[in-house]
């Protein structure tokens, strides 16, 4: 295995034969560092890279986020496809805007309560234990409520989105290939995401529900794209008019039903049957049935 150190940086940036002073000056000016797919299993001391803005460490074997105390200027951190099981030690990254953690072994989204400027979180396709789903720590969610605008939680066995409703500035949610099933739950969350522009739910059971697309378009008036397809304004206007017309018809039908019920109540009748039997010498000679319709309120 390989440890990420200054020597590894020197080896992969072509400065291994230069003087130590030249290399020190070089890494201090370094803003982007790409060490993806280097079989790295741990992060060592990178304290000289104080001006680093973007760090690519994807497709390695890293199992722990550590030794990033120097990285107060990092804005983009790429750690997807490693062996990370816990989100930790990110509090020094005060300027972090985009965090990529897809394809790891994370079971709980936590440890983000000190990362106040995070705008994008990509945490798709975690290697979860059988039957489990990705969980979210409420403290971290509340801390991200005003900053997070892009969230990718695809392929994580997620079956409901209610706890994500606190993300009031969310503009793009990618949640494909999960277990979302209930339209009412989704509609409730959409009411709170007033800045949502794009949502992708492809591959969820909910996509098979009747009027799935129509109900989402009508519920979220800010939505511009659904499942990768642009929503046409003419389509939205048609659905809104249809919804208003349907509501008006339903209200009219309810009023008619109430009127009919009142009419039936005011004209409520009872039927009375009078049976007259004529006997002669102990035998029934004639049997008459008289039927009379009478108002209940007048006769009882």
């Amino acid at each position: 295995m390989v440890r990420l150190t200054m020597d590894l940086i020197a080896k992969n940036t072509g400065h291994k034969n230069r003087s130590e002073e030249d290399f020190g000056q070089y890494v201090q000016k370094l803003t982007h560092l790409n060490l993806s797919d280097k079989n790295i299993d741990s992060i060592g001391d990178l304290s000289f890279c104080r001006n680093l803005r973007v760090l690519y460490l994807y497709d390695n074997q890293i199992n722990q986020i550590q030794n990033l105390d120097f990285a107060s200027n990092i804005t983009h951190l790429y750690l997807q496809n490693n062996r990370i099981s816990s989100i930790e030690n990110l509090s020094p990254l005060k300027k972090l805007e985009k965090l990529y953690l897809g394809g790891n072994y994370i079971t709980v989204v936590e440890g983000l309560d000190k990362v106040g400027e995070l705008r994008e979180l990509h945490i798709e396709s975690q290697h979860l234990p059988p039957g489990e789903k990705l969980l979210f720590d409420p403290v971290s969610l509340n801390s991200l409520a005003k900053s997070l605008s892009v969230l990718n939680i695809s392929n994580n066995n997620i079956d409901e989105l209610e706890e994500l409703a606190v993300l009031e500035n969310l503009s793009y949610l990618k949640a494909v290939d999960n277990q979302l099933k209930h339209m009412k739950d989704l509609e409730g969350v959409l009411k709170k995401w007033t800045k949502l522009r794009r949502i992708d739910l492809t591959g969820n059971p909910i996509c098979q529900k009747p009027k799935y697309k129509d109900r989402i378009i009508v519920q979220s008036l800010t939505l511009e794209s659904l499942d990768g397809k642009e929503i046409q304004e003419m389509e939205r206007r048609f659905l809104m008019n249809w919804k208003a017309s349907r509501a008006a018809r339903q209200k009219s039908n309810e009023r008619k039903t109430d009127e009919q019920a009142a009419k039936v109540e005011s004209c409520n009748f009872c039927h009375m049957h009078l049976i007259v039997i004529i006997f002669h010498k102990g035998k029934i000679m004639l049997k008459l049935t008289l039927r009379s319709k009478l108002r209940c309120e007048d006769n009882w």
Side-chain angles (χ1 to χ4, degrees), residues 62-63 65 79-87 99-110 121-136 151-158 174 176-178:
I62 298 169
N63 54 39
I65 303 173
L79 287 167
Q80 61 267 45
N81 299 327
N82 278 282
R83 303 189 64 81
I84 297 167
S85 60
S86 178
I87 306 174
L99 177 59
Y100 295 81
L101 289 167
N104 278 285
Y105 291 78
I106 296 166
T107 57
V108 182
V109 178
E110 59 185 349
L121 175 60
H122 302 262
I123 194 160
E124 72 282 1
S125 302
Q126 298 302 308
H127 298 279
L128 298 166
E132 293 192 15
K133 65 178 181 178
L134 184 67
L135 302 176
F136 297 86
L151 178 61
N152 185 352
I153 53 173
S154 298
N155 191 27
N156 282 313
N157 294 329
I158 293 171
K174 188 171 184 179
V176 306
D177 296 331
N178 279 297

